[in-house]
Amino acid sequence: MVNEVSQWLAEIQTLQQQLQALGQERDQAYASAANWRRLYESESEQRRNDSERSQTRIRALANQLSMFQQAPVNGESSPQLDQALAGVNQVDSVDELRSQLTDALTLCDQLSNALKIEQSAHEETRQSLTTALGDTIDLLAKDQTAKPAD
């Protein structure tokens, strides 16, 4: 009977040690889960903030585009501007917005260059027409001065 009691006591002690080890493992698992939860919450908060900033920026750019659209050049709306505004409203990510902004800036540069070329050509035409008009006036003046002598 003494053997049985010592055997039971040894088994109880073994079970207590196992219970203590399992408790430590559980505490470690809880600590690890809490750490992962904290990291996840931090990352998700950062993503939410990024998303909010992106959405705010998208809305600001859409407002700018709508202002440009409401003030059309020569009373006409630009098809490129209409297309850009529609594209901004469909943007889902910052990278997509960056791509569209890059395209818009490239188009702006191209249009600026085309405008400069057009202005230069206009200036040349104006100079040519002014010179031609001056020459014609000189010829008419000579013709007028030559007629009274007849």
Side-chain angles (χ1 to χ4, degrees):
M1 175 121 175
V2 173
N3 267 346
E4 284 183 28
V5 171
S6 62
Q7 199 176 21
W8 281 99
L9 288 175
E11 193 167 329
I12 289 172
Q13 192 176 25
T14 304
L15 290 173
Q16 284 177 339
Q17 288 173 350
Q18 288 176 353
L19 188 60
Q20 187 178 13
L22 289 173
Q24 288 175 349
E25 287 179 23
R26 181 202 59 212
D27 291 344
Q28 288 174 348
Y30 281 149
S32 177
N35 185 42
W36 281 108
R37 188 177 306 110
R38 183 183 50 80
L39 291 173
Y40 173 79
E41 288 172 357
S42 172
E43 181 72 18
S44 64
E45 181 67 25
Q46 183 178 354
R47 296 289 181 219
R48 280 192 295 274
N49 290 339
D50 288 348
S51 177
E52 287 174 14
R53 280 193 301 268
S54 296
Q55 290 300 323
T56 302
R57 183 70 176 140
I58 288 169
R59 282 191 295 275
L61 289 172
N63 287 339
Q64 275 185 320
L65 281 174
S66 66
M67 285 188 330
F68 288 134
Q69 187 179 27
Q70 290 173 359
V73 178
N74 297 330
E76 296 178 8
S77 180
S78 166
Q80 291 91 356
L81 190 57
D82 292 339
Q83 182 183 9
L85 182 60
V88 166
N89 290 331
Q90 297 173 356
V91 170
D92 291 332
S93 71
V94 175
D95 291 334
E96 197 174 326
L97 181 62
R98 283 187 182 127
S99 172
Q100 287 186 4
L101 180 59
T102 302
D103 293 344
L105 291 174
T106 302
L107 178 61
C108 183
D109 285 343
Q110 291 171 352
L111 292 174
S112 292
N113 290 336
L115 179 62
K116 287 176 186 175
I117 291 169
E118 185 66 29
Q119 287 173 336
S120 175
H122 175 74
E123 182 63 29
E124 288 177 21
T125 301
R126 189 174 67 80
Q127 289 293 331
S128 297
L129 289 175
T130 302
T131 303
L133 184 59
D135 291 347
T136 303
I137 290 173
D138 288 344
L139 288 174
L140 285 174
K142 284 181 186 179
D143 192 40
Q144 290 293 329
T145 57
K147 280 192 179 182
D150 282 341

